[in-house]
Amino acid sequence: MIDTLRSEWIKFRTVPMNVVLLAIGAGLPFIITLLTTLLIDADDMDGADVLALAIGSSLITAMLLGVIAVAGVAGEFGFGTIRPTFAATPRRMRVVGAKVVLSVGVAAVVQFVLIAACFAIGSALINSRGGSAGWADTTGSREPIVGIVLFAAIVSLIGVGIGLLVRSTPGAVAILILWPLIAEGLIATLLLVARLDTVAEFLPFQAGNRLWFFDDESLGEDVVLGRWTGGLVFLVAAGVVVWLGALVTSKRDA
């Protein structure tokens, strides 16, 4: 398994697209945090506000990490490079497991480091301009840090599953991006019109988004799923997608 992980890591870090997407995903939240804390009145932000800004702006990072996970799987099928991989490691589930571990691990580490960096630079800029922003201000609002890291990791897990199922990079990326942005929104709206609000809460990204919300008021009134129960629903949905992808991979020709 270690050799398989090492092989997947070499593939990951030598693909130029991954570097570009990581740079974009990390650069945008950093720039947003930088400009906001430079231009806003320093007295209008404290540590909790800087943290909220860092987490909110890093959602795009989580989605791009999912795109990287999709491309890492679907791209191998598309270009046929998965064949020598399976020839070297005939136990296909070992390859799938390595891809899952690498994608989820990279997503979690990148997301956490990004949040920490954005918070550090944002707080430093606010303090340098006469304001007051620090870690002490975030008491009671630190759970979203864990939430956004888990969100990024689970999105990457879903990305691996979609890549295994679809095997086409454009198609798989389109599904990963358009499902939460368009399809789930339309389904949720129809369910709300039909007065099935509770059912709408169990849609994967509707549930998963609760992970990074800052307080219960953001969830609304009379909700069934909280932060961690919503995250669990999101994780189960991701697990199902990966399981289906692994099942197809074990039975279908490469």
Side-chain angles (χ1 to χ4, degrees):
M1 185 64 176
I2 298 299
D3 290 337
T4 308
L5 277 171
R6 186 179 295 113
S7 173
E8 293 299 323
W9 171 245
I10 292 172
K11 295 176 190 176
F12 178 87
R13 63 183 175 82
T14 54
V15 175
M17 184 186 74
N18 292 345
V19 177
V20 173
L21 289 177
L22 278 176
I24 294 172
L28 286 177
F30 193 81
I31 291 172
I32 291 172
T33 302
L34 184 68
L35 291 177
T36 302
T37 51
L38 275 175
L39 298 176
I40 199 171
D41 190 327
D43 293 329
D44 289 341
M45 292 192 79
D46 60 12
D49 296 323
V50 175
L51 180 60
L53 175 64
I55 290 175
S57 60
S58 70
L59 285 174
I60 188 173
T61 309
M63 296 307 299
L64 287 178
L65 288 166
V67 170
I68 291 174
V70 165
V73 178
E76 279 207 74
F77 283 100
F79 289 106
T81 55
I82 195 67
R83 295 189 184 94
T85 298
F86 284 157
T89 310
R91 296 174 63 179
R92 294 186 177 188
M93 291 307 97
R94 180 172 292 181
V95 175
V96 171
K99 289 183 180 297
V100 166
V101 170
L102 181 70
S103 297
V104 169
V106 168
V109 170
V110 169
Q111 193 75 9
F112 178 78
V113 170
L114 177 64
I115 295 298
C118 287
F119 179 80
I121 189 65
S123 298
L125 287 172
I126 291 294
N127 292 331
S128 69
R129 297 174 56 230
S132 177
W135 184 244
D137 302 329
T138 65
T139 302
S141 59
R142 297 175 185 177
E143 288 183 340
I145 299 175
V146 178
I148 192 65
V149 171
L150 289 175
F151 180 82
I154 296 172
V155 169
S156 290
L157 184 61
I158 291 176
V160 172
I162 294 175
L164 292 170
L165 285 170
V166 179
R167 297 189 173 190
S168 165
T169 301
V173 170
I175 291 172
L176 179 68
I177 299 299
L178 296 181
W179 174 262
L181 292 181
I182 298 178
E184 238 185 56
L186 291 174
I187 295 171
T189 300
L190 292 174
L191 290 172
L192 292 175
V193 170
R195 298 183 180 179
L196 297 173
D197 308 42
T198 301
V199 177
E201 291 185 40
F202 286 84
L203 293 171
F205 280 85
Q206 296 286 323
N209 283 334
R210 297 164 189 267
L211 282 168
W212 52 268
F213 284 173
F214 261 72
D215 50 53
D216 293 337
E217 293 179 359
S218 303
L219 300 177
E221 298 179 356
D222 301 323
V223 295
V224 174
L225 298 178
R227 184 190 309 280
W228 307 122
T229 49
L232 181 60
V233 169
F234 194 36
L235 178 60
V236 169
V240 170
V241 174
V242 171
W243 176 76
L244 289 173
L247 184 64
V248 169
T249 300
S250 67
K251 296 181 178 298
R252 193 162 67 180
D253 290 339

